[in-house]
């Protein structure tokens, strides 16, 4: 496996303006110079449309959209088969998406997964448990089914919250955005489940998995050290959002976009505006900042929660899908093999960067 050099980060002053690019030099929407990562450590390569990063000790488990999990132990990589009860859908953006190891994974070999499937009844998303048996992940138990699906906008992020509940982001399925405002629909929502698939008694809406609604295509979740919850969301042709998530909060889609305001609608902490598209996906919190993988933005972007500023901190590696931060180290996966990127040799990669060097 290739190893990159130790991280070398150079601050480049851009001579261009208005968010344009010039010879690999970028400015963010505030006109500030972006930090360009000139070197980094490559932890793994030849990933196939990676989606979610998990780490247990020194071992990584990375879900791949075509229905596999890449296991990475030091210099060794092995692709693990995933046996599902339903046939994976081949629609755009669909497949094996969210994947998170159970809190007791070391003893149970169990994980949670979110995937898109198609059968005689149509196309849907479901949340299940998987169990690792002799290097094969096998679907074990159905937790939640019937999550709306369509040509695009499946959501798909799974995260364990600090309350030890399972959270899932779902999209509006692209065909009927009004379902995002219908609290009886599971589409266009952030859902909250007990680990056995039941509805938590303290959910904000009685007898409902819905934690927040009015989302278009949320793909990232993160919590601050005090338990504050944040989510990233794809907007329509720009107007991407980073939101502070409140229980039973309405985030406006499809009635409100960007910085538009309406009574009863939560406004985003950050939004990309009409001229810039981030296409934000996985995210993580670290010391007062959110770090967000961006697909169309081709960067890891930092959002300073204290100052309200945002900057690109890593660029030049193409589309970025997910992020994991542990002990001051940022891990992230590129996503150039997803059909929308321009894969280079040995793409896609898992990278490692010391946050102290950014």
């Amino acid at each position: 496996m290739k190893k990159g050099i130790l991280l070398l980060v150079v601050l480049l002053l851009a001579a261009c303006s208005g968010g344009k690019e010039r010879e690999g030099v970028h400015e963010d929407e505030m006109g500030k110079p972006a930090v360009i990562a000139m070197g980094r450590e490559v932890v793994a390569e030849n990933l196939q449309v990676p989606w979610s990063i998990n780490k247990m000790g020194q071992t990584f488990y990375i879900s791949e959209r075509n229905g596999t999990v890449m296991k990475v132990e030091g210099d060794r990589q092995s692709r693990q088969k995933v046996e599902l009860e339903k046939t994976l859908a081949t629609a755009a953006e669909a497949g094996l998406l969210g994947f998170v190891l159970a809190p007791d994974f070391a003893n149970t070999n169990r994980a949670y997964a979110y995937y898109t499937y198609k059968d005689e009844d149509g196309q849907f998303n479901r949340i299940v448990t998987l169990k690792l048996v002799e290097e094969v992940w096998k679907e074990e138990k159905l937790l939640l089914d019937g999550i709306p699906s369509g040509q695009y906008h499946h959501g798909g992020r799974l995260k364990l919250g600090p309350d030890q509940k399972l959270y899932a982001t779902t999209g509006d399925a692209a065909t009927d955005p009004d379902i995002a405002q219908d609290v009886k629909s599971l589409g266009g929502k952030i859902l909250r489940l007990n680990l056995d698939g039941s509805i938590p008694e303290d959910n904000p809406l009685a007898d409902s998995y819905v934690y927040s609604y009015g989302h278009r295509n949320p793909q990232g979740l993160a919590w601050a050290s005090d338990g504050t919850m944040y989510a990233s969301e794809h907007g329509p042709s720009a107007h991407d959002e980073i939101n502070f998530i409140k229980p039973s909060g309405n985030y406006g889609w499809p009635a409100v976009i960007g910085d538009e305001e309406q009574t009863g609608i939560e406004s985003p902490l950050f939004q990309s505006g009409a001229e810039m598209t981030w296409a934000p996906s996985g995210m993580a919190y670290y010391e007062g900042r959110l770090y967000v993988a961006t697909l169309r933005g081709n960067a890891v972007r930092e959002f300073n929660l204290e100052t309200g500023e945002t900057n690109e901190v890593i660029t030049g590696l193409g589309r970025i899908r997910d992020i994991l931060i542990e002990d001051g180290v940022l891990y992230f996966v590129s996503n150039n093999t997803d059909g929308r990127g321009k894969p280079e040799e040995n793409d896609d990669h898992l990278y490692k960067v010391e946050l102290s060097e950014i």
Side-chain angles (χ1 to χ4, degrees):
M1 181 185 302
K2 292 183 178 179
K3 293 292 182 180
I5 62 174
L6 293 177
L7 178 71
L8 174 62
V9 181
V10 179
L11 190 64
L12 300 174
L13 294 178
C16 57
S17 62
K20 296 181 180 180
E21 301 179 7
R22 181 179 61 83
E23 297 179 355
V25 181
H26 301 254
E27 283 188 352
D28 69 10
E29 62 269 33
M30 295 182 178
K32 294 181 178 295
V35 179
I36 311 300
M38 306 299 289
R40 64 277 168 194
E41 180 176 343
V42 177
V43 180
E45 59 189 14
N46 294 313
L47 305 178
Q48 298 176 357
V49 198
W51 224 89
S52 295
I53 308 171
N54 288 266
K55 187 171 183 285
M56 177 63 65
Q58 299 305 309
T59 302
F60 294 89
Y61 296 90
I62 303 169
S63 67
E64 298 177 311
R65 209 175 73 193
N66 61 357
T68 51
V69 171
M70 179 65 82
K71 180 181 179 181
V72 181
E73 296 177 285
D75 291 336
R76 298 175 55 192
Q77 292 182 215
S78 58
R79 182 162 280 115
Q80 299 173 323
K81 184 179 179 181
V82 180
E83 295 182 352
L84 301 169
E85 295 295 324
K86 300 285 189 176
T87 301
L88 278 178
T90 58
E93 304 175 4
L96 177 61
L97 306 176
F99 178 79
V100 60
L101 302 179
D104 57 356
F105 171 74
N107 297 320
T108 64
N109 279 358
R110 182 172 289 117
Y112 303 92
Y114 181 114
Y115 72 91
T116 316
Y117 70 90
K118 190 171 185 178
D119 63 14
E120 62 276 7
D121 295 321
Q123 183 174 292
F124 304 94
N125 297 290
R126 61 176 4 199
I127 301 171
V128 302
T129 63
L130 302 176
K131 189 164 185 178
L132 183 60
V133 181
E134 296 181 350
E135 298 303 299
V136 176
W137 292 92
K138 298 184 178 183
E139 183 170 334
E140 181 184 41
K141 179 183 177 182
L142 174 64
L143 300 185
L144 182 61
D145 205 348
I147 298 170
S149 179
Q151 187 177 6
Y152 305 105
H153 303 174
H154 311 286
R157 186 66 57 193
L158 288 183
K159 285 282 189 176
L160 286 170
D163 55 3
Q164 293 303 294
K165 305 297 183 185
L166 184 64
Y167 291 79
T169 68
T170 70
D172 66 1
T175 55
D176 183 12
D178 288 335
I179 66 172
Q181 288 295 316
D182 181 0
V183 296
K184 295 181 180 179
S185 170
L186 297 176
K189 308 293 188 296
I190 294 176
L191 309 178
R192 181 174 182 257
L193 298 74
N194 289 319
L195 298 187
D196 62 2
S198 61
I199 298 173
E201 292 183 359
D202 59 347
N203 267 10
L205 302 178
D207 298 319
S208 173
Y209 290 105
V210 174
Y211 191 76
S212 63
Y213 64 104
H215 298 289
R216 181 175 181 269
N217 191 21
Q219 288 191 4
L221 292 171
W223 286 263
S225 52
D226 64 359
T228 302
M229 183 179 177
Y230 302 93
S232 67
E233 180 166 340
H234 292 217
S237 300
H239 295 295
D240 299 311
E241 298 180 1
I242 305 298
N243 286 299
F244 160 52
I245 301 300
K246 299 179 180 179
S248 73
N250 181 355
Y251 290 83
W253 179 252
V256 173
I257 63 173
D259 57 4
E260 296 174 353
E261 295 184 358
Q262 185 173 307
T263 301
I265 303 297
E266 304 296 334
S267 297
L269 291 176
F270 300 86
Q271 63 100 14
S272 65
E275 302 300 324
M276 179 176 287
T277 299
W278 300 330
S281 191
M283 61 193 300
Y285 172 89
Y286 184 75
E287 294 188 347
R289 293 169 169 81
L290 294 170
Y291 293 86
V292 181
T294 69
L295 295 159
R296 182 73 177 273
N298 294 311
V300 174
R301 182 171 280 273
E302 178 189 79
F303 296 85
N304 189 314
L305 294 170
E306 181 177 349
T307 67
E309 295 178 317
T310 177
N311 296 285
E312 293 175 342
V313 293
I314 295 170
T315 64
L317 302 173
R319 296 164 65 82
I320 310 298
R321 172 62 72 180
D322 196 22
I323 283 176
L324 172 69
I325 296 177
E326 182 179 89
D327 298 329
V329 178
L330 170 67
Y331 301 93
F332 61 98
V333 286
S334 62
N335 211 217
N336 297 313
T337 57
D338 68 351
R340 295 181 177 179
K342 297 179 179 179
E344 297 184 357
E345 184 180 4
N346 299 321
D347 260 339
D348 275 307
H349 294 83
L350 169 65
Y351 296 99
K352 173 183 177 181
V353 171
E354 297 283 345
L355 277 170
S356 61
E357 300 294 336
I358 292 180

